[in-house]
Amino acid sequence: MADHREFQEICLEVDNELTTRGLSLDAQGDYRGALRAFEASYVLMSSESSLVSLLGAQLKLGEPFLVAAAFRALCEELDGGDTRDASLAAELTAVQRKLDEAEAACAARRALAAADGRPAAALYALGLASNQQGDPKAAYRYFASAYAAQPATSTFLSMLNMKLKARALPVAELVLRHLDSALEPQLAISEAEAAMAERKRAEAAEAMRLLRAAQLASALSSPLVSAPLKARAAALAA
């Protein structure tokens, strides 16, 4: 029991270190570094604050459509709670404000896509080619550009699939878990798309389960965690 308590204490300390590091990197404008820290924190403790922070970093990195979808999914999770809980109501209000910010960024991205003028079909084809070449990150960028030019459920699912291939699990898993509410209201989903999404949801859930099964070891392998804390955890595991 004492070991379990110390394990929990170490988890909290690691989470605090990761969160502090993420906030520091975010303040310095290193949004990619901040995203890595917040993702590690979320994998470790599954806290909504870490999730909101990593979504904020992802929005600053220019991914408004996925971030907006994740905030819609998070709103659904929070909205299902006890409405008499003042702290939960405050969280929901804060997340809705973040959703408004993300949707404004989506509108700005669509304006840029309209000015650019490249057709969605051509951008989507480039995404498929990048995926076939084994470059899911480039494929994601093309699919996101195609989605900005012409929103479609199939394109959005392709974006999520590329995130899974790139092992960017937390946001993809959340969105797939709440896909109906995460999709933009004007988008419909076909039976074939729903079946594909369910397969990907199961894939994402299993990947997150495996990642969380080794959450402490995963977090402690990060260079963001201090040497003394790593030593304490190693001593406890010995």
Side-chain angles (χ1 to χ4, degrees), residues 58 63-71 140 156 159-160 163 171 175:
Q58 210 157 4
E63 299 187 32
F65 301 114
L66 195 59
V67 170
F71 277 128
Y140 172 83
F156 185 73
M159 291 165 59
L160 287 174
K163 282 298 183 185
V171 174
V175 171

Side-chain angles (χ1 to χ4, degrees), residues 199-218:
R199 290 194 301 272
K200 292 300 174 182
R201 185 206 60 75
E203 178 185 325
E206 176 63 9
M208 281 295 289
R209 185 189 69 79
L210 292 172
L211 190 56
R212 283 183 169 136
Q215 57 184 345
L216 183 60
S218 168

Side-chain angles (χ1 to χ4, degrees), residues 33-56:
L35 177 61
R36 287 194 297 270
F38 293 137
E39 280 186 338
S41 170
Y42 180 69
V43 167
L44 186 66
M45 300 300 289
S46 304
S47 72
E48 284 162 6
S49 60
S50 294
L51 180 60
V52 169
S53 293
L54 79 85
L55 289 173

Side-chain angles (χ1 to χ4, degrees), residues 2 56 84 110-111 146 162 172 179 202 234 238:
R84 296 168 298 177
R110 287 193 171 114
M162 293 307 101
L179 185 61

